[in-house]
Amino acid sequence: MYRLILPLSVAAFAMPAALAAPMSAAMPAPALASTIQAAPRGDGGGAIAAAPPLTLAAALALALRANPALAAARHEIDARDGAAQQAALRPNPQLQVLVEDARGDARSVTVQLNQSLELGGKRAARMLAAGRDLDVGAAELRAQEADTRAAVVQAFVDVLAAQEGLRLAGEADALAREASRIAARRVRAGQVSPVESSRAGVAEAAVRLDGQLAVSALAGARLRLGTLCGDPQARFGLADGSLEALPALPADAELARRLAGAPALRKARAELERRRALAQVESRRRTPDLTVSVGLKRAPEDGRAQAIVGLSMPLPWSDANQGNLLEALRRVDKAGDELAGAELRAGAEVAAARARLRDALLEAATLKDEIVPGARGAYDAAAKGFEFGKFAFLDVLDAQRTLLQARSRYLRALSDAHQAAAEIDRVLGAPDQATDQKTEQKTTP
């Protein structure tokens, strides 16, 4: 019964204002000192607190520099840049040597140079398609950057929440030990049944278990953040931040303005333009190329060299590239539909994230201003009343359970608000200006 009454895995808060303190300054209660010492270490030797603290800005900088997915996206842009250079090259000339008759006195030798001339604007169309392909790579990089930023922010918030949960589990331990002390004193005085002391002992054991679970939660959150930052060993100190520094609720007009530049929409529009350029390439290929041949032929009769000039062109009687053109045009239609779908998805995701943020902000404000202070007052009154024999220990446990649930809900609301704001930035994007300028310069063929 009391495992349900006292689910201290909700990480007991001592005061709502404690969340406003920097995470790096939070210290656990003495009874959980051994649990904290067993917390994950950042460098295999020193404890987490010995390493320099990690801010969100520093975590983002590490991720943008060392994240493997971003490195892969940058290499993809370099590869597409090479394809764009190749698309600008003209066809190489062809050297042809023809020997007629193997006998020396009757042998004639022809040396000929053939040059293919692209007609119909094929090279320009090919260069345009390569440039559009480079634009797609740049859009993919921006989308990956937005995804990485959002993932780092969410992982950083998880670490902050886990640190706070570990600290507050220590304060919950102090509450449980105090309750055990009061119950034991009243049992010794013969004022309550020894069962009350047993109940207090069960509650204290549950707190110790929750401290261990809080350590594991912190280790997992640090591992996720370190992996995103290119440091799977998580060799950083405490995450330095405040969950109570809540994001503002963006206006609908602002979201609509930012939606037009969402990374997913930029990528879809770039893909549509690339498909259109490829359709132009296939259309230009319907015009056959002209091959010009010039050379010399030495005849065996008089040994004189004769000039040779020739023109050749394929006749597009059956193959006019109509199949490839039809395929390219249908892929243009497909890209248009994918753009429309991306616009719908982005709008729905932003609306859902904004609703989550609005609800989380409202819940956090209500809990901080009304519910948590009321639950704290009820717990203090119940604890004081039990000490003077006015209430049963079950009343104390019930009041403590209510307080812990309220504070746990408050922490969850703070975390949800930051997670929702990060989701909005993931969908709408928050591109770094320097990166944008670099990629935009590389998109020019």
Side-chain angles (χ1 to χ4, degrees), residues 194-234:
V195 175
E196 303 294 349
S197 181
S198 299
R199 289 170 175 170
V202 170
E204 190 174 352
V207 169
R208 289 194 297 270
L209 175 60
D210 291 331
Q212 297 289 344
L213 295 178
V215 169
S216 297
L218 177 57
R222 286 175 58 84
L223 177 61
R224 290 189 294 272
L225 179 59
T227 301
L228 288 170
C229 295
D231 180 18
Q233 300 300 320

Side-chain angles (χ1 to χ4, degrees), residues 343-391:
E343 291 173 345
L344 293 176
R345 284 192 303 273
E349 290 173 355
V350 168
R354 186 184 186 278
R356 282 179 52 205
L357 176 58
R358 180 195 61 218
D359 295 342
L361 292 175
L362 177 61
E363 183 180 14
T366 304
L367 286 163
K368 179 180 179 181
D369 298 336
E370 303 176 19
I371 298 177
V372 172
R376 179 70 192 190
Y379 170 76
D380 290 340
K384 182 65 69 174
F386 172 72
E387 186 174 4
F388 289 101
K390 301 295 184 179
F391 299 109

Side-chain angles (χ1 to χ4, degrees), residues 133 205 423-424:
D133 188 60
E423 178 66 13
I424 291 176

Side-chain angles (χ1 to χ4, degrees), residues 34 73 129 138 217 227 273 327 333 345 365 399:
S34 59
T227 301
E273 293 302 320
E327 177 189 3
D333 297 337
R345 284 192 303 273

Side-chain angles (χ1 to χ4, degrees), residues 142 255-266 269 427-431:
R142 285 192 291 266
L255 294 180
R257 177 183 58 81
R258 294 178 59 190
L259 185 61
L265 300 189
R266 288 185 177 185
R269 283 193 288 267
V427 178
L428 299 182

Side-chain angles (χ1 to χ4, degrees), residues 54-67 70 74 145-154 156 225 228-229 430:
L54 180 68
T55 63
L56 178 58
L60 288 171
L62 285 173
L64 293 177
R65 182 173 65 250
N67 186 269
L70 285 176
R74 295 187 184 102
E145 286 178 343
D147 290 345
T148 302
R149 282 190 180 92
V152 170
V153 171
Q154 291 170 341
F156 190 85
L225 179 59
L228 288 170
C229 295

